[in-house]
Amino acid sequence: MEELFTEYLEAGEEDIWLDEIMTVYGQDILQLVYSYVKNLTVAEDLTQEIFVKCYKALPTYKKQSKLRTWLWKIAINHCKDYLKSWYRRNIEYTVDERVEPQATVSVEETILKLDEDQMLSHTVMNLPIKYREVIYLFYFQELSIKEISEMTGISQGTIKTRMRRAKAMLKEKLEGDNDGR
């Protein structure tokens, strides 16, 4: 896939390149952004901004790292900038999302699974950003510690420490919720 993107760039077809990376990586970037901002509408807007930023930064792409790593680094930095921005600090958003049950499983199974998934997702999303970031990148995006380090600019040791602390926080919170049931 990487070679195909390189061919588009070498042929001077940046528009096709952008369409292709949006098709291949769009949903992953959207999910990454959502893990930071916790709002689908804002995540969609930021994802568009990220792809515009990637297009404008295309001349700076040196092909020293994988395209995916380069995109994720831009996305992570853009999310962090957004979270620090005046706009974010001064405006509140509400989220109302519903998941439709799948027809292939029983309603009871769907509700139980949805409840478990929502509890886990809610717990992860309520972790402090520095812990949520590493959990999301490692488990949901299936990136290695080394790749997370390259994308975030944080040492591998710090990432491992944050992973340990995040897991402990998740365990404590999830076990606490189950004790109360």
Side-chain angles (χ1 to χ4, degrees):
M1 185 61 67
E2 200 78 23
E3 298 83 26
L4 179 64
F5 293 132
T6 303
E7 288 176 21
Y8 288 135
L9 291 178
E10 289 173 357
E13 297 177 1
E14 289 84 6
D15 293 343
I16 295 173
W17 175 86
L18 183 61
D19 286 341
E20 287 296 320
I21 66 162
M22 288 174 65
T23 300
V24 173
Y25 297 113
Q27 187 63 34
D28 290 340
I29 295 286
L30 177 62
Q31 290 172 342
L32 172 67
V33 173
Y34 181 81
S35 76
Y36 280 89
V37 298
K38 303 181 192 178
N39 181 296
L40 185 58
T41 305
V42 173
E44 288 170 344
D45 290 345
L46 290 175
T47 299
Q48 288 180 356
E49 292 172 13
I50 288 164
F51 281 113
V52 168
K53 197 178 246 188
C54 289
Y55 185 76
K56 289 179 179 178
L58 192 53
T60 66
Y61 178 52
K62 305 282 188 247
K63 300 177 189 108
Q64 292 173 340
S65 62
K66 290 182 179 179
L67 177 63
R68 182 177 189 220
T69 303
W70 183 71
L71 290 169
W72 261 244
K73 191 167 191 164
I74 290 172
I76 289 168
N77 288 336
H78 192 70
C79 289
K80 288 179 178 180
D81 290 345
Y82 170 77
L83 292 173
K84 291 186 238 176
S85 72
W86 175 90
Y87 183 80
R88 163 68 171 104
R89 288 191 316 264
N90 292 296
I91 296 185
E92 288 279 327
Y93 289 100
T94 59
V95 177
D96 182 20
E97 295 185 20
R98 291 172 176 63
V99 176
E100 295 295 323
Q102 298 173 353
T104 58
V105 293
S106 73
V107 174
E108 295 84 14
E109 290 173 344
T110 302
I111 291 171
L112 289 174
K113 180 73 173 139
L114 183 60
D115 187 43
E116 290 172 3
D117 290 349
Q118 285 177 336
M119 183 187 314
L120 179 60
S121 175
H122 178 72
T123 306
V124 169
M125 294 303 281
N126 284 320
L127 288 173
I129 189 76
K130 66 183 182 179
Y131 300 118
R132 183 177 20 166
E133 174 181 60
V134 294
I135 290 290
Y136 179 80
L137 293 172
F138 188 79
Y139 289 104
F140 295 94
Q141 291 299 316
E142 299 177 352
L143 298 175
S144 68
I145 300 290
K146 182 179 179 183
E147 289 173 317
I148 295 170
S149 176
E150 290 173 6
M151 287 180 194
T152 60
I154 300 169
S155 74
Q156 291 182 34
T158 301
I159 290 171
K160 290 175 186 176
T161 301
R162 288 182 182 179
M163 289 283 290
R164 238 184 345 269
R165 289 180 182 162
K167 287 178 189 178
M169 289 177 186
L170 287 171
K171 182 178 179 184
E172 181 181 319
K173 180 65 176 158
L174 291 173
E175 285 177 353
D177 287 346
N178 288 334
D179 291 343
R181 285 188 172 188

